[in-house]
Every structure is written in C-alpha cells, then in structure tokens.
Amino acid sequence: MFIVIEYVEGLNLYEYIQALKEREMFIHQLRFNQIILDLISVQQYLHKHKTIVHKDLNPSNIMLRVDFKIVVTDFGLSHPI
C-alpha cells in the first residue's frame, strides 16, 4: 500500500510569515485577502462536497505555491462529518 501526493513547491504559511517578520515586512492586504478567500473556498469544498473536517488547520498545514494559491496539507486528524 502507498500514498501518492502532489509535490508543492513553496513555503507553508508559517514559514512565509516568519520570513516577512525577519525582514520587518507584512503580508500585502490583497495577498492576505486572497489567501483567506482561498482557505474559505477549500473548507467549504471539504465540508460540503467531501464531508470532511480537517481538525488540524494551522499555518504550518497551509502551503503557499509560488503563485500564492494555497494547498491544505496534513489530513492525519481529519474525519468524516
């Protein structure tokens, strides 16, 4: 048995925030809004269409692609609704 997963090139949200913090910078408002809207969209899809609750959603489990689209990872604690 094995699992095949997509390779996501980029940083997770926690790493991205830390990198900005080290440079004394902030997330641009439009980028922040897009990340939040994408996250809402992912959660709506998981709950409504896949009936899954993630249960461990945190910045370390949100990958940012190089185009700043998000990929939610680590479904180890998730379970069906």
Side-chain angles (χ1 to χ4, degrees), residues 43-55 77-81:
Q43 290 302 298
Q44 181 180 14
Y45 175 78
L46 286 173
H47 291 181
K48 193 173 198 177
H49 300 286
K50 297 297 180 183
T51 62
I52 294 174
V53 178
H54 189 280
K55 293 183 75 175
L77 296 178
S78 66
H79 69 76
I81 295 175

Side-chain angles (χ1 to χ4, degrees), residues 34-52 54 57 61-63 69-73 75:
Q34 189 59 51
I35 291 170
I36 295 301
L37 290 174
D38 287 351
L39 187 56
I40 290 169
S41 177
V42 167
Q43 290 302 298
Q44 181 180 14
Y45 175 78
L46 286 173
H47 291 181
K48 193 173 198 177
H49 300 286
K50 297 297 180 183
T51 62
I52 294 174
H54 189 280
L57 195 59
N61 293 336
I62 301 169
M63 292 295 297
K69 295 293 182 183
I70 68 164
V71 176
V72 176
T73 63
F75 284 81

Side-chain angles (χ1 to χ4, degrees), residues 12-53:
N12 67 41
L13 186 55
Y14 178 81
E15 293 167 335
Y16 178 66
I17 291 170
Q18 290 304 316
L20 289 176
K21 200 177 193 182
E22 288 173 7
R23 295 182 181 120
E24 297 180 358
M25 298 171 66
F26 298 97
I27 297 177
H28 189 275
Q29 185 67 44
L30 292 175
R31 183 161 290 152
F32 176 79
N33 290 346
Q34 189 59 51
I35 291 170
I36 295 301
L37 290 174
D38 287 351
L39 187 56
I40 290 169
S41 177
V42 167
Q43 290 302 298
Q44 181 180 14
Y45 175 78
L46 286 173
H47 291 181
K48 193 173 198 177
H49 300 286
K50 297 297 180 183
T51 62
I52 294 174
V53 178

